[in-house]
Amino acid sequence: AQVNNSSTGSAYVFTKSGGSWSQVTELTASGGASYDYFGSKVAIDGDTCVIGAAGTNSYAGSAYVFTRSGGSWSQVAELTASDGASYDYFGSSIAIDGDTCVIGAGGTNDYTGSAFVFTNTGGSWSQVAELTVSGGANEDQFGISVALDGDTCVIGAAGTNSSTGSAYVFTRSGGIWSQAAELTASGGASEDQFGVSAALDGDTCVIGALGTNSYAGSAYVFTRSGGIWSQAAELTDPDGFSYDQFGISVAIDGGTCVIGGTDTILGTGSAYVFTNTGGSW
């Protein structure tokens, strides 16, 4: 709820018991201030959640780590970029898996963008890498979306090539992260904004492109085999219309993915569930 309390923001934790969901706590940042936009992005894994506040410190941005112990959530760290500056928008995208989290800052270097990797060692979170793309340019918005699973992360850059967009795969080996692939959509065109959203599970990732077909939108499924990523499917809403922005958000777990769409004209929204059967979505 990023606009709570003059856009200071907050986040709410719900748990399921006996099939019923109930709110158990409201999280706020220690020292929060107006226009921090705490809660603009959230990510959770087990007993740890990370909450973005891209508006802190003149939009340099922060992310807050909360952990659960005995059913109670408490703030354990505030993460910031080592070289953060105003309008970096650090915390505008977040992913966490185990003791590693990746935080996007699409505003760095005149919106060229970057992503920061933090790891937890003995309860202490520290920055271990800043990821960028060789040859990146202003307005690429690298880091507008991030996804993480194990030693692989996918980072969206929706502004590349006149907002055609792309996404970059990085892998970790021996503690070092390096770029392994650049993903682009087959038949991509200007203003598609491929990479505005990203999700990853094992050897499958889903990338949203809300601008395709006059902003009706699409989402693209890529799979990895033998270390090579290839496009396996383009997903669309069969009843889609212009400005539905299908693909503005994506999530995947196993053979199921959920894709969000927001109609900018009617002000309504929907979520679409796709399943994979025999390799077909």
Side-chain angles (χ1 to χ4, degrees), residues 68-203:
R68 175 173 51 189
S69 179
S72 178
W73 290 88
S74 57
Q75 181 181 318
V76 296
E78 177 182 0
L79 308 181
T80 57
S82 58
D83 56 353
S86 298
Y87 300 103
D88 280 355
Y89 296 103
F90 175 96
S92 55
S93 61
I94 299 174
I96 182 172
D97 186 22
D99 289 324
T100 303
C101 72
V102 180
I103 300 175
T108 60
N109 302 317
D110 294 320
Y111 295 91
T112 301
S114 52
F116 297 84
V117 182
F118 291 77
T119 58
N120 178 13
T121 304
S124 178
W125 288 88
S126 58
Q127 181 182 319
V128 295
E130 178 179 358
L131 307 181
T132 58
V133 174
S134 176
N138 294 354
E139 307 298 333
D140 279 356
Q141 298 182 72
F142 175 88
I144 193 172
S145 65
V146 295
L148 173 69
D149 188 13
D151 292 321
T152 303
C153 71
V154 178
I155 302 172
T160 60
N161 302 317
S162 300
S163 295
T164 300
S166 50
Y168 298 85
V169 181
F170 288 76
T171 56
R172 175 173 51 189
S173 179
I176 304 299
W177 289 90
S178 56
Q179 183 181 322
E182 177 182 0
L183 309 181
T184 57
S186 174
S190 298
E191 305 302 327
D192 281 357
Q193 296 186 53
F194 174 94
V196 71
S197 60
L200 174 67
D201 186 23
D203 291 321

Side-chain angles (χ1 to χ4, degrees), residues 161-252:
N161 302 317
S162 300
S163 295
T164 300
S166 50
Y168 298 85
V169 181
F170 288 76
T171 56
R172 175 173 51 189
S173 179
I176 304 299
W177 289 90
S178 56
Q179 183 181 322
E182 177 182 0
L183 309 181
T184 57
S186 174
S190 298
E191 305 302 327
D192 281 357
Q193 296 186 53
F194 174 94
V196 71
S197 60
L200 174 67
D201 186 23
D203 291 321
T204 304
C205 72
V206 182
I207 309 291
L210 61 80
T212 61
N213 303 314
S214 299
Y215 288 87
S218 310
Y220 296 84
V221 180
F222 289 78
T223 57
R224 175 172 51 188
S225 178
I228 304 299
W229 289 89
S230 57
Q231 182 179 316
E234 178 182 359
L235 309 181
T236 58
D237 172 17
D239 299 319
F241 298 97
S242 298
Y243 302 104
D244 277 358
Q245 296 191 114
F246 177 94
I248 193 171
S249 59
V250 296
I252 185 171

